[in-house]
Amino acid sequence: MSAFVSAVIVAAGGSVRMGSGDSKQFLPLLGNPAIFYTLGAFQRCDMIDEIVVVCRAQDISRIDALCRGSGFDKVSAVVEGGSCRGESVRNGVSAVSEKAAYFAIHDGARPLITEEDISAVVNAALETGAATLGTAVTDTIKIADANNVITGTPDRSTLRAVQTPQVFERELYSFALSEAEDALDSVTDDCSLIEKMGGEVTIVEGSRENIKLTTPIDLVIAESILSKREE
C-alpha cells in the first residue's frame, strides 16, 4: 500500500506585481481561472490522495464553487491563509487528513504543473524524505551590492531554479515548521525550513513550462503553452 500524500495548494497571495485587483489564481487562461489547471493536475495524479487549498478569506466560496462544479472531489478542505506564506502553509498542513504521511506543497499560481512531474517528485520524496522540482540555471547570475554594483559571479553549474511541488515526510516537515515558528515571515520556500535544520532536499529535474504567474507577460506565456498542449 502506497503512502497517503496530501497536496497543500497555497493560493493566498495577492496580485500586486500582476497589476490586478483580483486574486491571480482567478485570472483567466483560455477561459478558465488559473487555479482550475493547478487543481486539475493534482486531481488527476494517482499519487495524490487529497487536496487542501489555502486562499484568502474572500476567495473561499469561489474555490468551493469551482471544486464542486469541476468535479475536484479530492479537495477535502479550503482554509484561510495567514499573513505570510509560511503561515499559510502551516494553516494548510494543519487541515490535512490524519492519514497523511507526506505533504506535497505547491504554489496555486503554477497552473502548468503536470501529473508526471508531480509523480516524479513524490516518488523521490518517498525515497529520501524531502524532494523538490527544479531546473538548471541557464543565465549567468551576478551578485550585486546595495548600489547595484556587481560583487561576484557564482558558478552557474551549481545553481538551480527551484519550483513546486516540494514534498516532505510529515514528521520531518512538522518538526522543521515548529523549529521556524518565530521566523515564518521570512520563509519564501519550504525547502529552506529543512535546510536550516541541517536536512537534505533532493532536486528532481522539472519542466521549464512550470512557470509561476507573477507578471502580465506570464499570462501570455501560460496561454501559449496551454494552447500547444491542447493541440
Side-chain angles (χ1 to χ4, degrees):
M1 184 176 181
S2 61
F4 192 103
V5 182
S6 297
V8 176
I9 309 299
V10 186
S15 300
V16 177
R17 285 174 288 181
M18 190 64 74
S20 170
D22 198 4
S23 170
K24 61 185 174 182
Q25 283 77 23
F26 291 101
L27 294 175
L29 295 175
L30 301 184
N32 294 308
I35 198 168
F36 169 84
Y37 299 98
T38 309
L39 293 174
F42 283 85
Q43 174 71 31
R44 293 187 298 272
C45 182
D46 292 337
M47 301 199 72
I48 299 299
D49 295 286
E50 76 165 341
I51 302 168
V52 171
V53 183
V54 186
C55 63
R56 300 187 300 178
Q58 61 264 41
D59 293 334
I60 291 177
S61 61
R62 295 171 72 184
I63 294 290
D64 275 331
L66 174 66
C67 293
R68 290 194 303 271
S70 304
F72 296 151
D73 57 8
K74 286 185 181 179
V75 177
S76 61
V78 181
V79 300
E80 183 178 352
S83 61
C84 63
R85 188 185 188 281
E87 289 184 2
S88 292
V89 176
R90 182 184 61 190
N91 292 355
V93 299
S94 296
V96 304
S97 168
E98 292 182 357
K99 296 183 290 185
Y102 288 81
F103 304 139
I105 303 168
H106 185 68
D107 298 322
R110 288 187 188 270
L112 301 177
I113 186 64
T114 65
E115 305 98 285
E116 293 78 14
D117 279 350
I118 296 170
S119 294
V121 70
V122 169
N123 276 321
L126 293 179
E127 293 182 6
T128 66
T132 182
L133 288 179
T135 60
V137 172
T138 57
D139 292 329
T140 296
I141 304 298
K142 298 292 184 180
I143 302 172
D145 63 17
N147 296 315
N148 218 26
V149 174
I150 293 173
T151 60
T153 306
D155 180 0
R156 187 171 62 187
S157 68
T158 67
L159 301 178
R160 299 294 183 271
V162 174
Q163 304 173 344
T164 63
Q166 299 180 355
V167 186
F168 309 97
E169 190 273 328
R170 180 176 189 149
E171 291 186 5
L172 173 66
Y173 185 80
S174 296
F175 179 76
L177 192 62
S178 66
E179 288 290 291
E181 184 69 29
D182 296 331
L184 286 181
D185 57 348
S186 64
V187 174
T188 57
D189 92 314
D190 298 282
C191 292
S192 60
L193 296 178
I194 309 301
E195 296 165 36
K196 287 178 180 179
M197 56 179 278
E200 296 182 347
V201 182
T202 300
I203 298 177
V204 177
E205 186 67 25
S207 168
R208 297 187 187 281
E209 293 184 354
N210 185 23
I211 63 171
K212 186 176 182 180
L213 302 181
T214 305
T215 61
I217 190 61
D218 297 325
L219 297 175
V220 178
I221 296 171
E223 285 200 320
S224 176
I225 294 171
L226 288 170
S227 294
K228 183 178 179 181
R229 288 180 182 178
E230 289 188 357
E231 292 175 1

